[in-house]
Every structure is written in C-alpha cells, then in structure tokens.
Amino acid sequence: MYAFTYDPAASVEEAAEKLRKSPDANVLAGGMSLIPTMKLRLSSPSDLVDLNGLTELSGITLTDDTLTIGAMTRHAEVAASADVQGAIPALAELAGGIGDVQVRNRGTIGGSICFNDPAADYPAGLVGLGATVHTSERDIPADEFFVSLFETALNSGEIVTSVSFPVPDKAGWSKFANLASRFAIVAVMVSSQGGAVRVAVTGAKDCVFRVSEMEQALSDDFSPSAIEGINVAADNLNDDHYADAEYRAHLITVMAKRAVAACS
Ligand SMILES: Cc1cc2nc3c(=O)[nH]c(=O)nc-3n(C[C@H](O)[C@H](O)[C@H](O)COP(=O)(O)OP(=O)(O)OC[C@H]3O[C@@H](n4cnc5c(N)ncnc54)[C@H](O)[C@@H]3O)c2cc1C
C-alpha cells in the first residue's frame, strides 16, 4: 500500500473540516470496502479520517414510529438489536445476511450506503422502507440519496451521521445471494405503510430502483399473486458471469413475491 496520513477524528465537525481542507482525504468507517479499493489502487486518499472513535455516531434508538441507526453502527449490531427485530424484522434480517461474520462485525450502515455498491443490501433497505439519511449538513430522502453506480447525493466533505426509518405496518426482505460473497445478485425490500407500498430492488442494475408497477398492484391487493405477471424488462439490467440480464429480470419477480410473502 502507498503512504497516507492516518487521522482519527475527535468530532464530526472536525472530520468534516479535515475533508474540506484536503480534497483527496476520505473518511474511514469499517474499512471493509475502502481498504480493498486502496489495496487494488482503485482509490488513493491522501488522508484517512477515522470515524471509529466517534461514539455519538453509533447506536440504535426507537420511538413510537421511527427507528434511528447511527452511521457507525455495525451490521452485526443491527441484526442482533431487539429494537430492530421488533420494529422492522425485515431490516434485522437484511443486516444479518450481509457478507460473513467478519464483515458484519466491522462494516457499518453509513459505510455501506456511502459506498453505494450496486449489489449492496442497505440501499434497497433504505429505499424500500422510505428512510431518511441525516448528514453533517442536511436530511436527504433515500429516494434522492442513491444517484448512480458508487455515487450518492453527498457533497464532498459531507458526513452521514445516521439513518432514520419510519416503522412500517409491514415489510419483507428477500435476497438471492452470490454464494461466495453474499452480495445480492437480486434482492428486494417491500413495505407497506398507511396503504403506501414500496418495492425496491438492488443487485439488478447500476443502482437501487423502485418498481412502480408492482407498487400499484400491491396497493390494490397486497399478495404475492398480485405481482405474478409483472416483469421488469431485461434491458439495462446487469449482465455478468454470475447471472445474465434475462435471469436477473426473472429473479426480480421471484424475489419480490417472496418478500411480499415474508412481510410481517
Ligand atoms: C467479503 C465481503 C462480503 C460482503 N458482502 C456484502 C453483502 O452481502 N451485502 C452488502 O450489502 N455488503 C457486503 N459487503 C460490503 C460491506 O457491507 C461493507 O461493510 C460496506 O460496503 C462498507 O462499509 P464500511 O463501514 O466497511 O465502510 P468503509 O469501507 O470504511 O467506507 C466505504 C466508503 O464510504 C465512505 N464512508 C464511510 N462512512 C461514511 C460516513 N459516515 N459518511 C460519509 N462517508 C462515509 C468512506 O469514505 C468510503 O468511501 C461485503 C464486503 C466484503 C469485504
């Protein structure tokens, strides 16, 4: 690895200031994605501003209608949280299915959504549940946060502090995983709240997306059979040695039906 400056942050404000002063600096969360990209020379930050000492960025709180998860909360903590399991079991299931035990013990929700890997699980979790991303500067609806392949709505120097989820009436998660990495080949989060239905898909395109035709059908009849005949076109879907575009298109309907059946 090449030389860089390691710089533990004492506060979110200080971290943001360091990023503003050094345009090539980057924040370090779990390091599960950032360190491999550095080792592969796909990124070469001048400074790593470490968020791991900022306890205020970690933890889970539940009020009557909102679940809030700090940006530095590890996947394993989300999966094991009684609050998450009680309020949004589908989200606990999502977190518990990420990677392996080592990845879940280090990787964070903030790092996952900021990296915005096209096969990551949390983007579908946030969009499918209508979450809001809170940053050092503003609040961003999940629908606007994920922009494109490895790209988010964050400004340079902007740090994610937490994510809040409205507690849905019901939600379900279903993932067809790559058996080696556990990344999603296709995964779907479905939720219903006050009659408003969301269906969000990850793994199938360059970025998470919603399927409005399925949302409409499920608004009329919230059952797997309501979306039986709804197929997403294979055009523009990911096509690689794990699964071709036609297969991913088929999986979207299958995973969406399973997510509806799993709703609780
Ligand atoms: C073997 C393996 C298997 C995996 N399997 C899965 C899987 O099945 N599903 C899945 O979803 N993911 C999977 N992952 C990815 C994993 O979830 C990572 O934890 C995640 O992508 C990055 O989180 P991190 O905390 O490690 O972030 P880091 O690697 O530290 O950071 C990632 C990026 O986000 C930025 N960043 C981090 N935190 C913040 C913040 N608070 N504000 C602003 N920017 C920030 C960093 O600067 C960096 O650019 C896997 C990873 C590995 C290595």
Side-chain angles (χ1 to χ4, degrees):
M1 227 187 267
Y2 58 89
F4 57 88
T5 303
Y6 172 74
D7 200 354
S11 68
V12 173
E13 297 69 31
E14 188 200 81
E17 184 59 24
K18 285 178 177 174
L19 294 181
R20 274 192 293 273
K21 280 191 180 151
S22 308
D24 294 331
N26 213 343
V27 295
L28 175 68
M32 292 291 100
S33 297
L34 180 55
I35 301 295
T37 63
M38 291 171 68
K39 288 177 78 174
L40 292 167
R41 300 289 197 272
L42 295 171
S43 71
S44 49
S46 57
D47 305 71
L48 283 189
V49 180
D50 190 352
L51 302 181
N52 282 275
L54 303 184
T55 49
E56 67 269 32
L57 291 184
S58 232
I60 297 167
T61 53
L62 176 65
T63 62
D64 283 347
D65 56 6
T66 307
L67 179 76
T68 302
I69 303 178
M72 286 298 292
T73 310
R74 316 284 167 179
H75 308 324
E77 292 174 68
V78 176
S81 160
D83 281 342
V84 182
Q85 290 171 3
I88 318 181
L91 190 61
E93 188 188 340
L94 177 157
I98 292 176
D100 50 34
V101 69
Q102 291 88 348
V103 170
R104 291 194 292 276
N105 281 338
R106 289 301 304 167
T108 66
I109 187 171
S112 175
I113 64 171
C114 294
F115 197 63
N116 195 17
D117 189 302
D121 298 322
Y122 269 123
L126 268 67
V127 172
L129 291 163
T132 301
V133 180
H134 307 284
T135 80
S136 49
E137 299 176 13
R138 59 195 165 131
D139 298 335
I140 309 172
D143 284 338
E144 295 166 22
F145 184 80
F146 302 101
V147 173
S148 182
L149 187 77
F150 297 113
E151 191 187 340
T152 68
L154 289 177
N155 298 321
S156 86
E158 188 171 10
I159 292 172
V160 170
T161 53
S162 65
V163 181
S164 59
F165 298 84
V167 176
D169 299 332
K170 51 191 170 185
W173 170 247
S174 183
K175 166 160 128 172
F176 190 84
N178 176 319
L179 289 180
S181 70
R182 311 306 301 175
F183 271 110
I185 290 176
V186 169
V188 179
M189 178 67 84
V190 172
S191 76
S192 172
Q193 190 176 30
V197 175
R198 285 176 167 263
V199 177
V201 180
T202 189
K205 266 192 185 175
D206 57 351
C207 192
V208 58
F209 62 96
R210 290 171 66 182
V211 187
S212 53
E213 211 184 332
M214 288 187 183
E215 292 176 349
Q216 185 55 56
L218 291 169
S219 301
D220 298 338
D221 170 15
F222 199 87
S223 70
S225 59
I227 53 174
E228 176 82 52
I230 300 178
N231 298 302
V232 171
D235 312 343
N236 303 321
L237 294 190
N238 296 337
D239 193 330
D240 55 33
H241 57 286
Y242 299 123
D244 66 20
E246 293 287 343
Y247 186 47
R248 278 192 165 87
H250 170 74
L251 281 176
I252 292 170
T253 307
V254 174
M255 291 300 114
K257 283 170 58 187
R258 287 186 190 173
V260 173
C263 273
S264 59

